[in-house]
């Protein structure tokens, strides 16, 4: 699972959607992998305004990476390739293959296995 | 046509054997691919987008969407189907194991567009006592609406079981804020007939309807009803029906007279 998806993913539970603690899901025991992908500058320009930078900072710190800047970088037409490449690397090429993701509100643990998070809830939680 | 919804819930129906068919059966693959191409054509995204594929299954539709340069996130309830997708390694995007009836677990304004091929008819299934179709529909469309960017479009191909279920899906979607309707491809052929539910989450982008047959269900139904009511009370209709019944050999057909088809005087 890419960090981009983690940045958009929320708890499946209905009551958690409106609380602030529920997002982002807390990542623990993560195993990472790098999957090469083609760089798509246009897509990055489209998606970066929607990325929640604070949540991304929290997620990357939980994965042990403190190298991201505090402020969201501005992407323009002339943005240099180095910036694009580093964003592409963080958001799209970094894969979480195994982890436990915990909701900060209800405490449900979503396991990630082979890169696929299990977002199913039990009958009582629906 | 057999309906897998009648056989078992999706997470059980799409077991290893059924999922294997999606990998080996070229007929399934070509139909799915064709419908995906059409769905993307209807979706008409502006530039490379983040798309959600609901009921991605073995990833046929997901990989096609990726070939157009989009980044995708797929969700499906069947682990077997997802493992087929993992094995084939054609899908670059992420996949989730999730139940669409529990909602789309993404924060507001995530996706530029949504596609779904042959999936949302499963929403009307109640396989467990905790599954109430109307509640699942509500939850699905509510969360879908919020997870989409304003102006984003969702194109969902599905197999409606009856007019009632179709109306139920469309009504729920509209109640949750979507604008949209149903496009029917190949309406003349029973086998090839395909329904695409097209929903628009806010914004002002008109659908290019020049080459499509768009049915406005409500208006048509109203017209049909009006017409029938009108016809039934006329003398010609009554005489015609009587003739028909006489030809069929019914014995108790009343005689035609000058009073046939006339209204009675109002009772005191």
């Amino acid at each position: 699972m890419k960090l981009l998806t983690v940045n958009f993913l929320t708890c499946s539970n209905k009551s958690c959607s409106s609380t602030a603690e529920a997002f982002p899901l807390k990542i623990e025991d993560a195993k990472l992998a790098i999957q090469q992908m083609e760089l798509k500058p246009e897509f990055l320009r489209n998606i970066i305004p929607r990325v929640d930078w604070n949540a991304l900072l929290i997620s990357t710190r939980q994965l042990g990476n403190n190298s991201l800047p505090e402020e969201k970088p501005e992407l323009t037409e002339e943005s240099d390739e180095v910036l694009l490449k580093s964003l592409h690397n963080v958001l799209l090429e970094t894969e979480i293959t195994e982890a436990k993701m915990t909701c900060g509100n209800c405490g449900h643990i979503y396991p990630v296995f082979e890169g696929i998070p299990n977002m199913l809830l039990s009958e009582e939680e629906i | 046509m057999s309906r897998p919804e009648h056989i078992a819930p999706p997470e059980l129906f799409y077991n290893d054997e059924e999922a294997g068919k999606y990998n080996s059966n070229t007929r399934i693959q070509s139909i799915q691919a064709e419908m995906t191409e059409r769905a993307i054509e209807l979706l008409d995204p502006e530039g490379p987008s983040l798309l959600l594929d609901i009921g991605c299954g073995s990833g046929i539709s997901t990989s096609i969407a990726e070939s157009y340069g989009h980044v995708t996130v797929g969700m499906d309830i069947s682990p077997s189907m997802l493992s087929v997708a993992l094995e084939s390694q054609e899908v670059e995007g992420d996949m989730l194991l999730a139940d669409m009836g529990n909602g789309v677990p993404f924060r507001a304004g995530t996706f530029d567009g949504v596609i779904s091929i042959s999936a949302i008819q499963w929403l009307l299934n109640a396989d467990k006592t905790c599954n109430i179709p109307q509640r699942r529909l509500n939850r699905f469309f509510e969360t879908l609406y919020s997870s989409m960017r304003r102006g984003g479009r969702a194109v969902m191909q599905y197999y409606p079981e009856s007019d009632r279920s179709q109306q139920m899906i469309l009504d729920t979607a509209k109640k949750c804020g979507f604008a949209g309707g149903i496009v029917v491809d190949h309406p003349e052929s029973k086998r090839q007939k395909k329904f695409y539910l097209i929903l628009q989450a806010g914004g002002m982008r008109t659908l290019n309807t020049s080459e499509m047959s768009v049915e406005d269900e409500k208006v048509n139904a109203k017209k049909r009803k009006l017409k029938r009511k009108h016809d039934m009370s006329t003398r010609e209709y009554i005489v015609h029906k009587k003739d028909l019944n006489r030809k069929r050999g019914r014995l108790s057909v009343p005689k035609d007279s000058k009073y046939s088809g006339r209204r009675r005087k109002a009772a005191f």
Side-chain angles (χ1 to χ4, degrees):
Chain A
M1 189 176 47
K2 302 175 192 9
L3 282 181
L4 182 72
T5 313
V6 177
N7 199 260
F8 289 119
L9 200 63
T10 59
C11 179
S12 299
N13 207 321
K14 199 176 180 180
S15 54
C16 293
S17 54
S18 52
T19 52
E21 303 93 66
F23 179 79
L25 299 171
K26 195 179 159 202
I27 308 166
E28 287 168 315
D29 305 339
K31 281 185 192 159
L32 297 178
I34 296 288
Q35 196 191 40
Q36 295 291 331
M37 250 182 102
E38 193 193 336
L39 179 68
K40 295 170 188 160
E42 261 184 77
F43 174 73
L44 278 174
R45 280 194 198 103
N46 175 10
I47 203 76
I48 288 294
R50 269 178 277 167
V51 170
D52 186 330
W53 196 257
N54 274 333
L56 184 66
L57 282 176
I58 295 169
S59 305
T60 48
R61 281 191 193 133
Q62 280 162 358
L63 295 171
N65 178 349
N66 296 320
S67 62
L68 284 184
E70 289 288 329
E71 289 290 314
K72 189 192 270 195
E74 289 284 325
L75 279 187
T76 54
E77 284 296 320
E78 304 90 49
S79 293
D80 55 77
E81 202 147 300
V82 183
L83 176 62
L84 282 175
K85 263 191 184 152
S86 57
L87 282 171
H88 176 71
N89 182 268
V90 171
L91 289 169
L92 291 158
E93 290 190 324
T94 314
E95 290 265 339
I96 299 175
T97 50
E98 265 168 57
K100 274 186 210 156
M101 295 192 299
T102 317
C103 169
N105 187 46
C106 66
H108 187 104
I109 298 172
Y110 298 100
V112 183
F113 186 65
E114 291 188 42
I116 298 180
N118 180 347
M119 305 303 288
L120 298 174
L121 298 174
S122 64
E123 281 187 28
E124 297 85 53
E125 289 167 298
I126 294 168
Chain B
M1 198 169 61
S2 74
R3 297 197 73 95
E5 299 96 277
H6 293 172
I7 299 169
E11 63 273 34
L12 300 179
F13 178 79
Y14 290 107
N15 52 16
D16 291 341
E17 190 193 330
E18 226 16 79
K21 284 184 195 169
Y22 273 75
N23 214 10
S24 53
N25 189 329
T26 48
R27 184 172 168 269
I28 293 180
Q29 283 175 359
S30 73
I31 293 177
Q32 296 270 324
E34 199 182 296
M35 292 191 295
T36 313
E37 300 273 356
R38 177 73 171 129
I40 292 174
E41 186 192 329
L42 290 169
L43 189 67
D44 189 20
E46 296 157 338
S49 317
L50 184 65
L51 301 185
L52 174 68
D53 185 0
I54 296 164
C56 61
S58 60
I60 301 171
S61 45
T62 323
S63 56
I64 290 174
E66 274 165 8
S67 69
Y68 283 89
H70 305 300
V71 175
T72 58
V73 177
M75 56 187 268
D76 204 286
I77 197 173
S78 159
S80 303
M81 290 294 262
L82 290 177
S83 69
V84 169
L86 273 185
E87 274 165 35
S88 73
Q89 293 191 330
E90 273 172 24
V91 182
E92 265 192 334
D94 283 332
M95 286 176 288
L96 318 181
L97 181 65
D99 180 6
M100 58 180 160
N102 276 342
V104 179
F106 289 94
R107 67 181 167 85
T110 302
F111 297 105
D112 295 299
V114 176
I115 56 168
S116 165
I117 305 296
S118 318
I120 59 168
Q121 69 269 17
W122 286 99
L123 275 171
L124 293 164
N125 255 37
D127 305 308
K128 299 175 200 143
T129 46
C130 62
N131 286 353
I132 301 161
Q134 186 62 59
R135 193 187 287 168
R136 284 165 64 78
L137 274 176
N138 284 343
R139 177 93 179 117
F140 171 68
F141 282 116
E142 260 169 38
T143 49
L144 185 72
Y145 185 84
S146 73
S147 76
M148 282 167 72
R149 221 167 63 140
R150 291 311 78 141
R153 193 180 283 164
V155 178
M156 297 185 257
Q157 184 274 327
Y158 70 118
Y159 295 105
E161 192 167 2
S162 61
D163 286 350
R164 208 176 132 238
S165 61
Q166 192 166 339
Q167 201 59 48
M168 198 168 156
I169 290 176
L170 198 59
D171 285 350
T172 315
K174 288 189 173 165
K175 210 163 64 188
C176 294
F178 284 108
I182 294 163
V183 167
V184 186
D185 276 9
H186 308 294
E188 68 290 343
S189 156
K190 202 176 176 187
R191 275 179 72 110
Q192 289 179 41
K193 199 171 182 178
K194 295 282 181 290
F195 293 85
Y196 296 86
L197 179 65
I198 304 187
L199 300 173
Q200 175 104 25
M204 299 290 282
R205 230 178 115 209
T206 49
L207 184 66
N208 178 16
T209 51
S210 54
E211 290 164 26
M212 300 169 195
S213 62
V214 182
E215 256 181 90
D216 199 335
E217 287 284 325
K218 266 196 178 152
V219 175
N220 274 358
K222 222 176 182 181
K223 256 189 200 164
R224 230 178 289 137
K225 211 175 175 187
L226 268 177
K227 204 176 169 192
R228 202 165 53 198
K229 214 172 185 182
H230 179 67
D231 277 346
M232 284 227 286
S233 60
T234 59
R235 189 182 155 85
E236 295 100 83
Y237 177 78
I238 292 168
V239 170
H240 165 75
K241 274 303 233 199
K242 280 180 170 175
D243 275 344
L244 215 64
N245 279 339
R246 276 186 210 112
K247 271 183 208 157
R248 284 173 185 159
R250 299 256 163 83
L251 295 172
S252 55
V253 183
K255 285 192 294 187
D256 289 336
S257 76
K258 64 175 181 179
Y259 301 107
S260 303
R262 272 205 205 169
R263 278 189 163 271
R264 278 171 202 271
K265 269 184 201 161
F268 175 67

